[in-house]
Amino acid sequence: MTKNWTVTRILRDRNAGLYFTGLVVSAFGTSALGLAAGVWVKDLSGSNGLAALCMFAVWAPTLCGPALGTIADRVRRKPLLIRTNLALAALLLTLFAVDSRADLWLLFTVLLVYGTIVVVQDPAESALVAAVVDRDLLGDFNGLRMTAVEGMKLVAPLTGAGLYAAFGGPAVACLDAVTFALAAGLWLFVRAHEERPRRPKGDWRAQTAEGVRELWARPGLRRLVVAGGTMMFLASLSSSTNYAIVEALGHAPAYTGVLYVAQGVGSVAVGLVSGPALRRLGERRFGAAGIAVAAVGVAARAVPSDPVVLAGGAAVGLGLPCVLIAAYTAVQREVPGPLLGRATATANTLLFPPNVLGLAAGAALVELADFRAVLSLVGLALISTGAWLGLVGTGTLRAHSGRRRPGSDQSPASAERTSARSPSDANPA
């Protein structure tokens, strides 16, 4: 019936609807700026290397995730998110001062601070979602969130590029600032009951280590996070072959944009089914199945056929998010609320930085070996990773329970993290 459809169920819930709308609005601005920043730097400097550094500046703070994640466990999450969104809105307006190569230091500084704040927001959002969304909607909420965010990535970059071409970089920065301000305004009306957090014991280093230990001491969580990081590394090796694939198909380099769209379609689709699939399969099997689907998609990209390559890209987009959804679901469900921010930030650090290593290794590998051989080896490695996750450690994750864990100040979640980042951010096509 219509009332059971995911979109209807989410939007009929006041808190879920407001929170979801805020996330989508913010994601639109972020995706628009992501493309425009690199083009902006390229236009001002003429340097491909400096343009590439834009993505690095945003992602570099992830390496400090466990330490930055302690902030989310020291304060109430809703006020933190509202204030950091308003701070980002104000920060982005400073980019109106950038109009020459000499001003690029300001742009890179803003991107670095932008990335740092996002690293703080990620665990806060992940922890807050359990407090503002009804428990039975959590899986559906986060699946729909992924669908919406990935859908934004199919239209927002084009919007940003058009706005940049018409009015320049400051106009895109203004758009992003407006979306952050709107998200903060929407979240202001979200009803979230949060107790004042108890001040964690020990200094900053001890608090960070406590979050790392909490995650690593749980075998089920450890395997999911390790499998996710391995998959992201291997997927980035695959994405390094994009231009070689396009060349073999006889298309111009711009055709890589079509590959990106194909992967985006797959990511949109998985968001619609992730909630029911998680409930049916559980985190471990859901993650393993996703890795297997991605492996088939990677191998298919070696076939010299447009339809097969595009279908393979869609399969990669379908499979990539599954293990990440599974990992964050398990973290939110297993880790007590007072430690959830630090544990989520630690998971982020283990899951996403392997992209950087994979892209660098892939760039060198594709020059030394035939791209078809690279794709075949990556496919085999992904199958092995999926099999390891699916067959090793059966039963290490606790069965889903409606009871709260002792010491938890929030209900556990059964959902993917709610940040604006996703696999396609660092693994396009």
Side-chain angles (χ1 to χ4, degrees), residues 103-242:
D103 300 321
L104 287 181
W105 68 269
L106 176 59
L107 176 56
F108 282 110
T109 299
V110 168
L111 291 176
L112 185 64
V113 175
Y114 188 110
T116 301
I117 292 178
V118 169
V119 171
V120 173
Q121 288 181 329
D122 281 356
E125 290 177 352
S126 182
L128 182 62
V129 69
V132 302
V133 178
D134 287 346
R135 183 182 179 82
D136 63 342
L137 289 177
L138 283 167
D140 298 299
F141 172 88
N142 286 277
L144 181 60
R145 175 219 163 261
M146 172 160 286
T147 293
V149 171
E150 292 298 327
M152 289 299 99
K153 291 172 185 174
L154 299 179
V155 296
L158 295 178
T159 303
L163 193 61
Y164 176 85
F167 302 106
V172 184
C174 184
L175 171 66
D176 201 11
V178 169
T179 62
F180 277 116
L182 286 175
L186 287 166
W187 291 343
L188 186 64
F189 295 99
V190 170
R191 296 167 183 163
H193 176 70
E194 293 186 277
E195 300 291 340
R196 182 176 296 277
R198 297 176 182 175
R199 186 176 181 85
K201 298 179 180 179
D203 58 17
W204 199 286
R205 182 179 301 177
Q207 295 168 29
T208 301
E210 188 178 11
V212 175
R213 285 196 301 268
E214 181 69 25
L215 178 71
W216 207 249
R218 300 171 182 269
L221 300 187
R222 186 170 67 242
R223 291 188 180 95
L224 279 168
V225 172
V226 169
T230 302
M231 183 205 65
M232 295 298 280
F233 173 80
L234 293 171
S236 62
L237 288 179
S238 170
S239 68
S240 298
T241 66
N242 286 340

Side-chain angles (χ1 to χ4, degrees), residues 300-320:
R301 283 156 52 89
V303 178
S305 166
D306 282 66
V308 175
V309 168
L310 294 178
V316 171
L318 188 70
L320 266 180

Side-chain angles (χ1 to χ4, degrees), residues 10-390:
I10 294 298
L11 298 183
R12 282 168 61 92
D13 182 275
R14 180 184 182 278
N15 272 347
L18 285 170
Y19 198 69
F20 171 75
T21 305
L23 288 171
V24 172
V25 168
S26 178
F28 181 88
T30 298
S31 296
L33 182 66
L35 174 63
V39 177
W40 196 358
V41 171
K42 171 67 175 177
D43 283 347
L44 292 178
S45 68
S47 169
N48 291 324
L50 286 177
L53 279 178
C54 290
M55 183 65 72
F56 177 80
V58 173
W59 280 88
T62 307
L63 298 173
C64 301
L68 293 172
T70 63
I71 297 174
D73 289 335
R74 296 169 65 94
V75 298
R76 290 193 179 101
R77 279 81 181 238
K78 175 184 168 181
L80 174 65
L81 290 173
I82 292 173
R83 290 166 184 165
T84 52
N85 270 272
L86 292 176
L88 281 172
L91 178 70
L92 287 164
L93 294 180
T94 66
L95 294 181
F96 276 86
V98 177
D99 61 3
S100 69
R101 183 186 178 107
D103 300 321
L104 287 181
W105 68 269
L106 176 59
L107 176 56
F108 282 110
T109 299
V110 168
L111 291 176
L112 185 64
V113 175
Y114 188 110
T116 301
I117 292 178
V118 169
V119 171
V120 173
Q121 288 181 329
D122 281 356
E125 290 177 352
S126 182
L128 182 62
V129 69
V132 302
V133 178
D134 287 346
R135 183 182 179 82
D136 63 342
L137 289 177
L138 283 167
D140 298 299
F141 172 88
N142 286 277
L144 181 60
R145 175 219 163 261
M146 172 160 286
T147 293
V149 171
E150 292 298 327
M152 289 299 99
K153 291 172 185 174
L154 299 179
V155 296
L158 295 178
T159 303
L163 193 61
Y164 176 85
F167 302 106
V172 184
C174 184
L175 171 66
D176 201 11
V178 169
T179 62
F180 277 116
L182 286 175
L186 287 166
W187 291 343
L188 186 64
F189 295 99
V190 170
R191 296 167 183 163
H193 176 70
E194 293 186 277
E195 300 291 340
R196 182 176 296 277
R198 297 176 182 175
R199 186 176 181 85
K201 298 179 180 179
D203 58 17
W204 199 286
R205 182 179 301 177
Q207 295 168 29
T208 301
E210 188 178 11
V212 175
R213 285 196 301 268
E214 181 69 25
L215 178 71
W216 207 249
R218 300 171 182 269
L221 300 187
R222 186 170 67 242
R223 291 188 180 95
L224 279 168
V225 172
V226 169
T230 302
M231 183 205 65
M232 295 298 280
F233 173 80
L234 293 171
S236 62
L237 288 179
S238 170
S239 68
S240 298
T241 66
N242 286 340
Y243 289 104
I245 292 172
V246 169
E247 182 180 7
L249 293 174
H251 297 296
Y255 191 76
T256 54
V258 179
L259 303 187
Y260 184 93
V261 170
Q263 180 174 324
V265 169
S267 295
V268 167
V270 76
L272 295 174
V273 301
S274 60
L278 269 171
R279 287 190 289 270
R280 187 177 186 84
L281 299 175
E283 292 97 339
R284 182 178 53 82
R285 288 189 293 174
F286 179 65
I291 296 176
V293 171
V296 173
V298 166
R301 283 156 52 89
V303 178
S305 166
D306 282 66
V308 175
V309 168
L310 294 178
V316 171
L318 188 70
L320 266 180
C322 293
V323 70
L324 304 182
I325 293 173
Y328 284 105
T329 297
V331 170
Q332 290 177 315
R333 179 168 62 83
E334 292 285 310
V335 176
L339 293 169
L340 188 52
R342 283 165 282 177
T344 301
T346 300
N348 290 345
T349 301
L350 294 173
L351 287 168
F352 287 96
N355 278 289
V356 180
L357 299 176
L359 288 170
L365 190 60
V366 78
E367 294 292 332
L368 301 174
D370 183 83
F371 77 93
R372 297 176 185 85
V374 173
L375 291 172
S376 298
L377 291 174
V378 169
L380 288 173
L382 282 170
I383 284 289
S384 300
T385 303
W388 173 76
L389 177 61

